[in-house]
Amino acid sequence: MAKSKTKFVCQNCGASFTKWAGLCESCGEWNTLVEQIVEETSAKSALSKGQFSGKKLDYVSIKTIAPSDAKERLKTNFKDLDDVLGGGFLLGSVSLLAGQPGIGKSTLLMQICAEISKTKKVLYISGEESAGQVKLRASRLGADSETLAFASSTSGNDIAKTIESGEFDFVVVDSIQTLSMDEISSAPGTVSQVTNCGNLIIRAAKSTDTAVVIVGHVTKEGTLAGPKVLEHLVDVVLNFEGDRYGGFKTVRAIKNRFGSTTEVSIFEMNEKGLKEVQNPSAALLAERQNTDGSIILATLEGTRPILVEIQALVTPTNFGYPKRTASGFDLNRLNLLIAVIERRTKLKLSDKDIFVNVVGGLKIQDSAADLAVCLAIASAVAGRKLSEDYVVFGEVGLGGEVRSAFRPDQRIAEAKKLGFTHAIAPATIKNKFVIPVKDLRQTLINYVK
Ligand code: TYD
Ligand code: MG
């Protein structure tokens, strides 16, 4: 018998190679190449002869097509999450909910199932937990509807067939990494299993107008392991982020074929499951002590303004190499800002360890956080506070200049609402509330004292 051909496929990005290597050349991840059998196709030889199958497409005028969001939307009972989805889960859509293990994906989906099952037929399929485990969670969350069904399965084929039966309006598949297809020999969680099971499920959902949510686990770095390839296939990709232990958790859409990707919903976990946080700014500032190194940033999560405390701690370096740590803030950005501070102001930081923390578990992606981080570091180095009635926002350029920020009016409105009197912000903003600043050096001299 001829030896069957194999190739090595990266489980992170899907690139394939003829030889094994420790590092994927395509995406730079380590230890992600897995050997897989190549399924021989006749496509190559047919193509080389210039023959191929197919027929001319039927086309219609775009005017006559019914829009796909004319279908019903299933509300989740979480107002902000519905906004993230663009009004709820659309019938016939497939969504991927991605997050680290233990963040609360199963909890959130069970709560959503409980709500939707009040009016629709819902099926929760788990390949990870037994019926007893799921029941335990369900009863804690108050999900005990007659129309909420449960099945335990790891077979992609069975799950697709069940969806295809059209018996259910809303189906949750927890999780894609546990599924396998009979026709494929590789292990669950590999790229070929994930793509093929995903495709089967998507086809079944589309053909019966079932809304399906697929759970996917992500690695610590925040990339979808395996399901990266699934991102292209599904209609909506929801990212569940935050601290596993306490703090705020956010759900945002990084892709949405039926809505915008600017909204975000903020959750908190308690003994009765996940709850949406109504006034995140107030909750985040409740425990604040105005010490040196503490700055209030007026930031945006999606389109929503939030006030959050940025803390910096600066200590002398004991060994030659200074240490820089950031939690909730991009470390590369922090290193860049430290370089800007050193070069553009008189502060010396090369012999200091610097730790920056965003309070409350939020991950700040807003470029207008720069100025607040710089002020927090400067305030910690100098041992001086900023007035406690000030909020800060603005981007810092490499020249040390303070640059404009998106949606300043919303940031200012939120700061006013919480009783702040001024914002240290880019000089381009014309508002009485704003203390206009143009460059970092002058800002430090004038306000950190
Ligand atoms: P889980 O939803 O199982 O996470 P995932 O499916 O993303 O892996 O649960 C996450 C954690 O939440 C778990 O460690 C226990 C905790 N939890 C609560 O604090 N309260 C609750 O009501 C529930 C159901 C879970
Ligand atoms: Mg789970």
Side-chain angles (χ1 to χ4, degrees):
M1 204 181 96
K3 196 166 165 270
S4 55
K5 261 196 197 162
T6 61
K7 62 181 174 182
F8 295 86
V9 179
C10 171
Q11 301 303 306
N12 186 52
C13 69
S16 68
F17 304 91
T18 50
K19 268 196 208 148
W20 187 86
L23 174 77
C24 172
E25 277 174 30
S26 171
C27 67
E29 286 292 313
W30 287 92
N31 282 329
T32 53
L33 299 197
V34 168
E35 186 170 20
Q36 282 175 17
I37 295 170
V38 182
E39 275 123 61
E40 282 294 336
T41 62
S42 53
K44 250 190 198 151
S45 60
L47 273 180
S48 64
K49 287 182 206 138
Q51 304 164 335
F52 55 91
S53 59
K55 60 177 174 52
K56 183 168 166 264
L57 297 171
D58 294 326
Y59 46 83
V60 292
S61 160
I62 198 141
K63 256 190 146 172
T64 62
I65 304 173
S68 70
D69 71 350
K71 286 181 202 146
E72 192 183 343
R73 296 233 185 213
L74 306 175
K75 297 263 183 229
T76 62
N77 197 28
F78 293 113
K79 203 193 128 287
D80 297 334
L81 185 59
D82 283 342
D83 289 345
V84 170
L85 291 164
F89 288 105
L90 196 70
L91 283 180
S93 73
V94 179
S95 316
L96 175 68
L97 177 65
Q100 279 188 46
I103 186 123
K105 299 181 293 298
S106 308
T107 306
L108 178 66
L109 288 172
M110 184 51 81
Q111 285 177 273
I112 292 171
C113 283
E115 170 65 21
I116 294 178
S117 68
K118 285 178 187 162
T119 52
K120 298 280 176 193
K121 291 191 79 179
V122 176
L123 174 63
Y124 189 104
I125 304 170
S126 180
E128 298 192 337
E129 292 161 302
S130 67
Q133 281 173 309
V134 172
K135 171 71 189 175
L136 210 64
R137 180 186 296 120
S139 43
R140 179 131 66 118
L141 301 171
D144 59 354
S145 160
E146 196 72 37
T147 49
L148 172 53
F150 172 80
S152 169
S153 171
T154 56
S155 158
N157 304 66
D158 295 354
I159 291 173
K161 270 276 179 284
T162 314
I163 296 172
E164 215 178 50
S165 75
E167 260 181 64
F168 297 96
D169 304 294
F170 184 69
V171 177
V172 168
V173 181
D174 189 1
S175 66
I176 189 75
Q177 273 103 345
T178 59
L179 303 191
S180 57
M181 247 175 90
D182 303 343
E183 290 80 1
I184 299 169
S185 55
S186 59
T190 52
V191 166
S192 59
Q193 289 289 15
V194 167
T195 1
N196 287 295
C197 290
N199 267 321
L200 266 194
I201 292 172
I202 290 166
R203 214 171 304 146
K206 301 278 172 201
S207 69
T208 52
D209 264 355
T210 313
V212 174
V213 182
I214 301 174
V215 173
H217 295 295
V218 298
T219 56
K220 220 162 148 208
E221 292 78 40
T223 53
L224 287 165
K228 190 87 198 154
V229 283
L230 211 56
E231 270 187 36
H232 308 291
L233 307 176
V234 297
D235 301 310
V236 179
V237 179
L238 298 172
N239 256 5
F240 203 158
E241 293 170 338
D243 253 346
R244 252 198 284 176
Y245 314 101
F248 288 172
K249 300 161 202 293
T250 56
V251 176
R252 68 178 88 230
I254 55 169
K255 164 181 176 179
N256 193 348
R257 287 185 180 151
F258 314 113
S260 78
T261 51
T262 52
E263 304 299 328
V264 59
S265 64
I266 300 174
F267 291 96
E268 214 171 12
M269 179 78 91
N270 62 22
E271 66 288 347
K272 288 207 184 68
L274 290 156
K275 218 177 121 246
E276 272 186 331
V277 182
Q278 296 307 332
N279 191 345
S281 301
L284 283 170
L285 300 185
E287 290 167 309
R288 185 188 183 214
Q289 291 181 329
N290 189 19
T291 54
D292 56 273
S294 155
I295 300 287
I296 304 296
L297 162 70
T299 185
L300 293 171
E301 275 290 345
T303 55
R304 179 167 19 171
I306 290 183
L307 302 189
V308 55
E309 181 182 352
I310 307 277
Q311 295 179 324
L313 190 68
V314 176
T315 56
T317 301
N318 277 329
F319 304 103
Y321 193 71
K323 195 172 162 179
R324 274 81 211 258
T325 315
S327 121
F329 189 75
D330 181 38
L331 186 59
N332 287 331
R333 189 83 199 160
L334 174 63
N335 282 324
L336 183 142
L337 291 174
I338 290 170
V340 172
I341 297 173
E342 283 228 278
R343 181 75 177 82
R344 304 293 170 197
T345 74
K346 294 240 162 66
L347 284 181
K348 195 167 171 306
L349 302 174
S350 58
D351 56 352
K352 296 188 175 66
D353 291 345
I354 298 176
F355 307 90
V356 169
N357 177 39
V358 178
V359 175
L362 288 180
K363 294 202 166 41
I364 303 286
Q365 283 158 353
D366 181 13
S367 56
D370 292 353
L371 187 58
V373 171
C374 291
L375 285 186
I377 294 171
S379 150
V381 173
R384 292 175 182 166
K385 300 175 202 171
L386 186 73
S387 161
E388 63 179 347
D389 299 326
Y390 291 2
V391 298
V392 176
F393 63 90
E395 187 179 337
V396 174
L398 295 187
E401 78 279 18
V402 175
R403 298 171 157 269
S404 58
F406 285 119
R407 299 176 188 266
D409 298 339
Q410 273 169 287
R411 298 174 199 256
I412 290 168
E414 181 76 2
K416 275 185 185 162
K417 206 169 86 189
L418 280 121
F420 289 86
T421 58
H422 289 289
I424 295 186
T428 46
I429 304 165
K430 301 281 168 263
N431 191 316
K432 274 208 225 103
F433 195 77
V434 168
I435 299 172
V437 293
K438 281 191 176 145
D439 78 291
L440 189 59
R441 185 165 170 268
Q442 211 52 46
T443 313
L444 298 188
I445 293 171
N446 289 345
Y447 302 108
V448 179
K449 44 185 156 191

